[in-house]
Amino acid sequence: MARYRLKFLLQEFDLRGPEVVIGRSPECHVTIEDPLVSRRHAKVLVEDPPRIVDLGSRNGISVNGQKIEGSRTLSDGDRIRIGTQELVFYVATQRPRESRTTGFMTVCQACGTPYPEQSAQCPHCGAPRRDDDTISGLLVEPRRSWTFQLLGEVIERALATGRAAEADRILRRAAKEVDDRVAAGERLAAEEVTTITSFALRLAAMQEAASTEWVSWALNVHRDQGLFPRAPLLDRLEALDFDALPEANEAVAEFAHWVEKERDTLRPPPDPTGVDRLERLLHRN
């Protein structure tokens, strides 16, 4: 029988029969940490031909962009979408290896993404591999922005479907990453700050999750990074029900006073329209 494997991020897994279970539970053969993945989400039947079976998951499975019902036969190169994660199924043509993270990596000089050394070019941007870029014998973690992007996708889906508790749980994980990066003195991209803090204000605006904590956190991240809020974040602030979040008025007032004091040092320099919008927030109630 042919040997089959799954590629997931920078990992490769040998599929050893009779079945390989995929899910969020650490007891699964392949564990995926994603709240949109069920504890036992799917299984691959290692037979001829191989099949993937949905184990009654909440969010289902897509193969090559098409959602499956029940089970589906797998072919070499099929792309399997589970939760927000994509796995590639392929037929092994070399001697089977134990499941392991790739140990020889190249970091693309063009886009900064790590990928297996044996690739002749970066699979993300197409830039050719340079021999002096190889980091031999080291395990290279995906870029933080990669993880951050995945978390953002999960939070967005949870918010869009009204799952406030789930959004809160995942947002706390993302917020901890932001806090750790800020504490380490890292200067975050303004787009990243706007995205994650907008999630926080959206969550604060949900009735069952109304929380001044998220409003204060969003403003504190801007203050720690010396950033003036972009228009999308001001939109979110203006949409808040301050009657439901009375203590948010105090947080906004403190932030506005800080902006006035540090105005000449902020990035980008606050435009008059943005400052006026912030001032109106203080006096609208």
Side-chain angles (χ1 to χ4, degrees):
M1 181 181 294
R3 291 280 185 173
Y4 306 113
R5 293 190 188 139
L6 282 178
K7 288 184 180 179
F8 173 54
L9 295 180
L10 299 179
Q11 294 180 303
E12 293 183 7
F13 300 92
D14 270 324
L15 302 182
R16 299 175 180 242
E19 63 181 32
V20 175
V21 179
I22 305 169
R24 199 177 70 249
S25 171
E27 297 177 357
C28 293
H29 300 100
V30 179
T31 300
I32 300 177
E33 186 180 349
D34 181 333
L36 297 185
V37 174
S38 301
R39 289 185 60 80
R40 287 173 53 88
H41 197 107
K43 65 180 178 181
V44 176
L45 299 179
V46 185
E47 54 190 33
D48 190 12
R51 288 187 298 136
I52 187 166
V53 180
D54 190 334
L55 297 178
S57 65
R58 182 177 62 185
N59 295 302
I61 303 167
S62 295
V63 177
N64 299 327
Q66 296 183 342
K67 195 163 186 177
I68 73 169
E69 297 292 339
S71 67
R72 173 168 168 163
T73 299
L74 292 173
S75 301
D76 188 40
D78 279 349
R79 308 185 79 85
I80 304 167
R81 188 79 170 179
I82 295 179
T84 62
Q85 316 302 319
E86 187 171 81
L87 304 89
V88 179
F89 173 86
Y90 72 104
V91 180
T93 57
Q94 300 175 352
R95 181 175 56 86
R97 298 175 295 173
E98 295 296 326
S99 301
R100 61 178 179 86
T101 302
T102 304
F104 295 90
M105 301 299 299
T106 291
V107 176
C108 177
Q109 293 299 304
C111 69
T113 303
Y115 63 92
E117 179 193 30
Q118 58 265 34
S119 297
Q121 62 183 28
C122 174
H124 305 278
C125 71
R129 179 173 66 82
R130 290 171 29 180
D131 291 340
D132 58 344
D133 296 336
T134 300
I135 307 177
S136 298
L138 296 179
L139 301 183
V140 180
E141 293 297 324
R143 289 181 302 172
R144 277 178 165 175
S145 59
W146 189 354
T147 303
F148 191 85
Q149 180 181 353
L150 291 177
L151 287 173
E153 290 179 6
V154 176
I155 295 168
E156 173 63 46
R157 292 190 184 191
L159 289 171
T161 54
R163 300 198 297 272
E166 185 172 297
D168 183 88
R169 178 168 61 86
I170 304 304
L171 185 56
R172 288 185 185 280
R173 175 180 169 186
K176 183 180 184 305
E177 179 177 332
V178 169
D179 292 343
D180 289 346
R181 292 168 68 179
V182 170
E186 185 173 340
R187 201 169 179 82
L188 305 180
E191 293 83 358
E192 280 192 349
V193 174
T194 298
T195 297
I196 193 64
T197 54
S198 292
F199 286 148
L201 295 186
R202 286 172 64 184
L203 183 57
M206 297 175 72
Q207 183 176 0
E208 67 270 30
S211 171
T212 302
E213 175 190 359
W214 285 120
V215 178
S216 298
W217 180 81
L219 296 176
N220 285 337
V221 172
H222 280 79
R223 181 159 48 194
D224 291 340
Q225 288 286 294
L227 285 169
F228 185 77
R230 294 186 168 193
L233 196 80
L234 292 173
D235 293 342
R236 293 291 176 188
L237 281 170
E238 291 171 344
L240 289 174
D241 181 359
F242 281 87
D243 290 334
L245 299 166
E247 295 180 2
N249 275 316
E250 183 177 346
V252 172
E254 291 179 357
F255 184 76
H257 293 320
W258 171 80
V259 166
E260 183 178 0
K261 180 180 177 182
E262 304 292 336
R263 186 168 180 170
D264 294 337
T265 67
L266 302 182
R267 59 178 179 107
D271 63 273
T273 301
V275 173
D276 288 344
R277 293 178 69 182
L278 191 59
E279 288 291 331
R280 286 197 296 270
L281 280 171
L282 298 177
H283 307 294
R284 72 177 187 175
N285 292 326

